[in-house]
Amino acid sequence: MKKKVSSQDGISKAIDLLVESGVDLSTLFEKGGLLKELSKRLIEKALESEMDNHLGYNKYSRSDSNNARNGPSSKQVITDNGVISVEVPRDRSSTFEPVLLPKRQRRIPGLDDKILSLYAKGMSLSDIQIQIQELYGAEVSESLISNITDSVIEDVKIWQNRPLESVYPIVFFDCFVVKVRQDKRIINSRP
């Protein structure tokens, strides 16, 4: 009988195996490094599992169904680790709708939040474009950034025009601490 392994134990064992295998971990965060490759493999494995579930059989099994695998298509995905090229599985009847990476989606969630954060801090669209290029190596058009910020502009306007309370209680705490030498030792003194 197999012992059930928790996901944390599985991850820990995988990392131990990776370290023991002698992989050069100095390339972990480099462009095209180990972290990017692990992200790519993890996304592709998840997509393959989704396809197995959709078709009802594993990749190398046979089925009586009319629908079958139809090879992968390549897709450039923008992630927190930069741009990753992944192979997305397809089926012959085109009914496969991946949950992890839906059709026509090129960004893993999280990038929109970063763009909105930069915009809220007062950066221009071209500055945000340059920042995303430097951080993730991803070419993001100004029109895409504009569309992302326009999607929340109504909520921002509602928040800015909300009625304010007549009184806001505010408490100020102030403290001034000075280090003083007294009797050959240093103590904190509050004037």
Side-chain angles (χ1 to χ4, degrees):
M1 186 170 148
K2 276 189 166 179
K3 180 183 171 189
K4 189 167 183 169
V5 179
S6 73
S7 62
Q8 289 296 327
D9 291 340
I11 292 170
S12 180
K13 287 180 181 180
I15 291 171
D16 291 342
L17 184 65
L18 189 66
V19 170
E20 290 170 5
S21 70
V23 172
D24 183 14
L25 295 177
S26 66
T27 64
L28 184 65
F29 297 107
E30 290 179 3
K31 188 173 185 175
L34 183 61
L35 191 59
K36 188 179 270 191
E37 187 61 31
L38 285 172
S39 299
K40 171 185 168 52
R41 296 277 303 274
L42 184 63
I43 292 169
E44 288 177 348
K45 288 283 188 187
L47 291 171
E48 283 294 333
S49 294
E50 284 187 49
M51 178 60 85
D52 290 348
N53 188 35
H54 172 71
L55 295 175
Y57 65 92
N58 293 336
K59 187 173 184 173
Y60 299 108
S61 301
R62 292 199 175 256
S63 172
D64 297 331
S65 155
N66 291 338
N67 197 7
R69 293 174 192 274
N70 195 25
S73 64
S74 186
K75 186 176 194 177
Q76 298 284 326
V77 180
I78 302 171
T79 67
D80 290 340
N81 298 327
V83 179
I84 298 175
S85 179
V86 295
E87 299 294 319
V88 181
R90 297 181 300 174
D91 62 337
R92 289 192 179 166
S93 63
S94 295
T95 57
F96 176 55
E97 291 285 339
V99 175
L100 174 68
L101 197 59
K103 290 181 178 180
R104 293 171 292 287
Q105 180 178 337
R106 299 235 177 253
R107 297 183 314 273
I108 297 287
L111 187 65
D112 290 357
D113 295 337
K114 289 175 180 58
I115 290 173
L116 290 173
S117 173
L118 293 172
Y119 184 74
K121 291 177 181 163
M123 292 182 78
S124 69
L125 298 181
S126 59
D127 289 341
I128 294 171
Q129 182 183 27
I130 292 168
Q131 192 72 26
I132 297 296
Q133 171 64 35
E134 288 176 359
L135 289 174
Y136 304 112
E139 292 289 332
V140 179
S141 68
E142 286 186 24
S143 62
L144 172 65
I145 295 168
S146 181
N147 290 340
I148 291 169
T149 56
D150 287 348
S151 68
V152 296
I153 200 70
E154 289 303 316
D155 294 334
V156 170
K157 285 181 181 177
I158 290 169
W159 182 81
Q160 288 174 338
N161 295 320
R162 74 191 185 286
L164 297 177
E165 299 292 328
S166 59
V167 176
Y168 285 95
I170 299 174
V171 178
F172 288 101
F173 290 98
D174 189 15
C175 182
F176 184 66
V177 178
V178 178
K179 301 273 187 188
V180 178
R181 183 178 296 271
Q182 184 179 23
D183 298 328
K184 298 184 181 181
R185 50 188 193 119
I186 298 175
I187 61 169
N188 292 332
S189 172
R190 293 181 183 90

